[in-house]
């Protein structure tokens, strides 16, 4: 089966010479393989006449075409196709009773399309994009007997109600007005207002307006609003962004409890969290913007291992060139350069909040992971080191220049990514090491013609990381760079940050809560303890193993290593391994 897709955003017929049409061999032989639309000038490609030569892909100056061959068996599994040369979705995840069903895969491969189909918001057209009639019976007939078919029978009867926790909670303050109490009261269909606000730790925020909430608080409010609804299926699109690891563990319990009586689907890119949270996982793979294929559900361990390995054995499909590997650390500070900054006994009072630190130093080429609960002064401390904040006591060796990527990236610029990069980084993004290690590694070369306003959350994050790394500075501070990036993009970003520091002999502080991300990226850990909004104490940087032990003891969880992939896995509380590891103080198992 041939799939020809036109990326509508990239196709700019006014800025090309119709290369796809002019060079297409069947067209030159008089066949209507490509027709240029009278009105828009854009090509319409006939998949049956296309011979798959790929000439148009190479000739198009805007990289607007995708031509792929897919196994013909897939044809019968097509669920939806938006238009003649539009995105298409194959197979669907199944919302199963009494389980948390996880979805693992990049954005832009049809997760939202799948959710819309499962909730009845779009009627799947099974690939017949011209047929605007709604034919539920036809759809149900094509599905094999089983849970998904029964589910669609209920959707057809109008018996399925769905609640969605959206991915981008950053936009909520612009869209909704009022206090947290007003907002949540309106959706309290299950009479669980008091219980849920307490469980999610937001009872003390009820009289604040949505605009006054931090990222983590907004996230918990959005999760609360979703759970309060009385529906049949709950979708959580990236519930862990902006939450610290304590809060992540808390929402794992809450979502698992919900799944005891309801159907729950979760899209989550923090693999340590997805691993403990989900009972089953569907992997979604394909080509961004062109097609997406859901695998049947598999056990959580198997699915995450093959995702990291980059190969899906049942499908015989490679989804990545190289496996993502753990336990690949360089040994402590041995290979690091000279000292770049040091400090001791810093103190800072900010309103009711007080921050204290121990003594620490950071070397050239060192990447410091910064971990700890929200509201314990992580950003404040780094800003002191950067000379942006005064401090009340203690010492810092000297100010150094800093490049900072904040947690919330609010850009209202009306220009393309290319213009944004030119303005922030200058011409050097176009070539050299930075172009290879950052721009291409993060897939930003494919976003250049896109308007900044139209970028998805993950795309905006990737461009912001690139801009931060592209500026000239001694210290790089990245505040939650993993938010909105899919699992694969996280690993790429971790590597891009490391490579940039090594190549330029600079240092980075990376605040993040994703343990896999930190594991791949960090040489050392600066560990924060304390109580959010009241006090914080920063100790370190420690070597990674020592820092992780200290940090995880505070969170009260232990990790074991998967014997195949060597990835860390959270132990069940009070399991044999959990008890054994606690006894010897080994919270982050380093055994091979
Ligand atoms: P995900 O949720 O995994 O990010 P989506 O389901 O939102 O993926 O989108 C997959 C692709 O489908 C997008 O890249 C886009 O090109 C296409 N798409 C989404 N919605 C529409 C639509 N209403 N019309 C045409 N194409 C769409
Ligand atoms: Fe024509 Fe298909 Fe070749 Fe493109 S890939 S030039 S559409 S035959």
């Amino acid at each position: 089966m041939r799939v020809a897709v036109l990326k509508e955003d990239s196709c700019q017929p006014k800025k090309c010479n119709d290369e796809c049409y002019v060079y297409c061999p069947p067209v030159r032989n008089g066949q209507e393989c490509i027709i240029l639309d009278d009105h828009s000038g854009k090509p319409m490609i006939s998949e049956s006449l296309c011979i798959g030569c790929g000439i148009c892909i190479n000739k198009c100056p805007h990289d607007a075409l995708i031509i792929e061959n897919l196994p013909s068996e897939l044809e019968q599994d097509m669920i939806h196709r938006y238009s003649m040369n539009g995105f298409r979705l194959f197979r669907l995840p199944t919302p199963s009773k009494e389980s948390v069903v996880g979805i693992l895969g990049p954005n832009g491969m049809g997760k939202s399309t799948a959710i819309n189909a499962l909730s009845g918001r779009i009627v799947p057209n099974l690939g017949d994009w011209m047929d605007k009639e709604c034919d539920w019976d036809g759809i149900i007939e094509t599905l094999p007997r089983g849970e998904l078919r029964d589910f669609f029978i209920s959707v057809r009867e109008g018996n399925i109600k769905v609640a969605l926790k959206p991915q981008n909670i950053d936009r909520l303050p612009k869209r909704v007005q009022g206090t947290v109490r007003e907002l949540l009261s309106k959706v309290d269909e299950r009479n669980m207002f008091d219980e849920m606000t307490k469980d999610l730790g937001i009872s003390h925020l009820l009289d604040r307006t949505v605009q006054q909430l931090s990222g983590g608080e907004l996230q918990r409010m959005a999760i609360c609003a979703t759970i309060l609804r009385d529906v049949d299926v709950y979708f959580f699109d990236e519930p862990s962004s902006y939450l610290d690891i304590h809060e992540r563990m808390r929402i794992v319990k809450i979502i698992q409890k919900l799944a005891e009586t309801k159907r729950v689907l979760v899209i989550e890119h923090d693999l340590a969290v997805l691993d403990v949270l989900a009972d089953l996982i569907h992997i979604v793979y394909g080509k961004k913007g062109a097609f997406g294929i859901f695998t049947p559900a598999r056990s959580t361990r198997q699915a995450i291992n093959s995702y990291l390995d980059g190969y899906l054995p049942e499908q015989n499909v490679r989804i990545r060139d190289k496996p993502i590997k753990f336990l690949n650390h360089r040994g402590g500070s041995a290979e690091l350069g000279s000292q770049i900054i040091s400090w001791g006994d810093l103190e800072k009072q900010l309103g009711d909040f007080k921050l204290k630190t121990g003594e620490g130093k950071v070397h050239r080429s060192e990447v410091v992971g910064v971990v700890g609960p929200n509201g314990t002064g992580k950003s404040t401390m780094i800003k002191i080191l950067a000379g942006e904040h005064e401090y009340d006591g203690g010492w810092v060796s000297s100010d150094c220049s800093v490049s900072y990527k904040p947690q919330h990236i609010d850009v209202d610029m009306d220009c393309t990514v290319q213009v944004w990069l030119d303005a922030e980084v200058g011409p050097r993004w176009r070539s050299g090491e930075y172009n290879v290690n950052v721009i291409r590694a993060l897939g930003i070369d494919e976003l250049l013609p896109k308007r900044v306003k139209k970028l998805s959350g993950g795309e905006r994050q990737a461009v912001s990381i690139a801009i931060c790394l592209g500026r000239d500075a001694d210290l790089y501070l990245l505040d939650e760079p993993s938010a909105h990036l899919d699992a694969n993009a996280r690993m790429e970003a971790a590597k891009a940050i490391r490579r940039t520091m090594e190549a330029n002999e600079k240092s980075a502080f990376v605040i993040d809560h994703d343990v896999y991300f930190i594991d791949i990226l960090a040489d050392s850990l600066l560990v924060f303890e304390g109580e959010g909004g009241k006090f914080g104490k920063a100790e370190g940087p420690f070597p990674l193993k020592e820092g992780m032990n200290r940090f995880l003891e505070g969170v009260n969880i232990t990790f074991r290593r998967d014997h195949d992939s060597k990835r860390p896995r959270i132990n069940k509380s009070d399991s044999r391994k959990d008890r054994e590891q606690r006894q010897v103080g080994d919270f982050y198992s380093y055994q091979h």
Side-chain angles (χ1 to χ4, degrees), residues 20 23-26 33-34 45 49-57 67:
C20 56
Y23 291 100
C24 173
C33 178
I34 296 184
I45 307 162
L49 294 176
C50 169
I51 54 170
C53 66
I55 289 176
C56 56
I57 306 174
I67 312 272

Side-chain angles (χ1 to χ4, degrees), residues 165-404:
K165 199 294 292 172
Q167 183 198 108
N168 270 333
I169 49 136
D170 317 35
R171 296 191 186 140
L172 285 178
K174 283 203 179 134
R175 279 204 296 227
V176 293
Q177 298 296 326
T179 63
V180 174
R181 185 190 306 280
E182 287 162 356
L183 245 129
L184 294 179
S185 310
K186 269 190 228 155
V187 291
D188 185 20
E189 297 164 359
R190 300 168 71 205
N191 277 328
M192 293 179 80
F193 183 97
D194 291 336
E195 184 184 336
M196 285 322 303
T197 48
K198 186 164 159 275
D199 283 357
L200 281 156
I202 53 172
S203 330
H204 62 293
L205 305 171
L206 298 177
D207 292 315
R208 297 210 192 147
T209 65
V210 176
Q211 288 69 27
Q212 290 168 320
L213 302 182
S214 70
E217 291 164 350
L218 265 178
Q219 184 70 272
R220 282 178 286 155
M221 183 199 77
I223 293 172
C224 188
T226 311
I227 297 181
L228 287 177
R229 304 265 322 277
D230 188 15
V231 300
D232 308 284
V233 191
Y234 296 79
F235 286 107
F236 296 92
D237 195 349
E238 298 186 28
S240 82
S241 307
Y242 304 127
L243 299 184
D244 66 35
I245 194 154
H246 299 262
E247 294 159 346
R248 287 179 192 202
M249 295 312 290
R250 171 148 67 179
I251 61 141
V252 163
K253 288 208 183 92
I254 293 172
I255 292 177
Q256 283 177 332
K257 185 154 176 244
L258 178 69
E260 286 170 9
T261 52
K262 304 280 192 174
R263 298 172 200 253
V264 177
L265 273 116
V266 182
I267 295 165
E268 178 54 56
H269 302 299
D270 179 329
L271 295 182
V273 169
L274 183 65
D275 189 40
V276 277
L277 173 60
D279 300 303
L280 293 166
I281 290 181
H282 294 270
I283 291 178
V284 54
Y285 65 98
K287 187 139 193 158
K288 206 172 174 178
F291 60 91
I293 305 163
F294 278 92
T295 65
R298 307 167 68 190
S299 81
T300 298
R301 174 175 176 265
Q302 263 183 335
I304 296 183
N305 279 1
S306 39
Y307 184 79
L308 291 171
D309 194 32
Y311 177 68
L312 310 179
E314 281 96 344
Q315 283 70 34
N316 188 19
V317 168
R318 183 149 282 291
I319 52 171
R320 193 181 318 100
D321 294 343
K322 286 189 203 150
I324 293 169
K325 288 203 173 127
F326 291 84
L327 288 170
N328 249 352
H329 302 292
R330 37 182 197 201
S333 57
E335 297 158 42
L336 300 172
S338 59
Q339 198 169 301
I340 203 167
I341 191 167
S342 57
W343 64 88
D345 305 317
L346 290 169
E347 286 190 19
K348 172 81 184 169
Q349 185 86 36
L350 277 171
D352 293 337
F353 173 76
K354 182 156 180 115
L355 168 72
K356 285 181 163 197
T357 81
E359 279 193 18
K361 54 177 184 282
V362 175
H363 304 84
R364 290 191 179 277
S365 308
E366 182 171 352
V367 180
V368 184
V370 183
V371 293
N374 279 334
T376 51
K378 297 187 289 296
S379 308
T380 307
M381 155 122 190
I382 311 301
K383 285 186 187 160
I384 291 176
L385 296 184
E388 284 189 20
H389 266 331
E390 294 291 313
Y391 46 98
D392 309 326
W395 57 272
V396 180
S397 61
S398 69
D399 293 351
C400 39
S401 60
V402 70
S403 171
Y404 177 50

Side-chain angles (χ1 to χ4, degrees), residues 558 576-587:
T558 59
R576 187 176 56 85
K577 273 216 162 358
D578 184 52
R579 273 179 283 138
E580 278 172 10
Q581 285 182 229
R582 266 171 214 278
Q583 223 161 34
V584 292
D586 184 18
F587 285 77

Side-chain angles (χ1 to χ4, degrees), residues 110-121 162 164 235 237 267:
K111 290 185 299 265
S112 313
T113 307
I115 291 174
N116 285 335
L118 290 171
S119 60
R121 243 173 284 161
V162 165
L164 169 71
F235 286 107
D237 195 349
I267 295 165

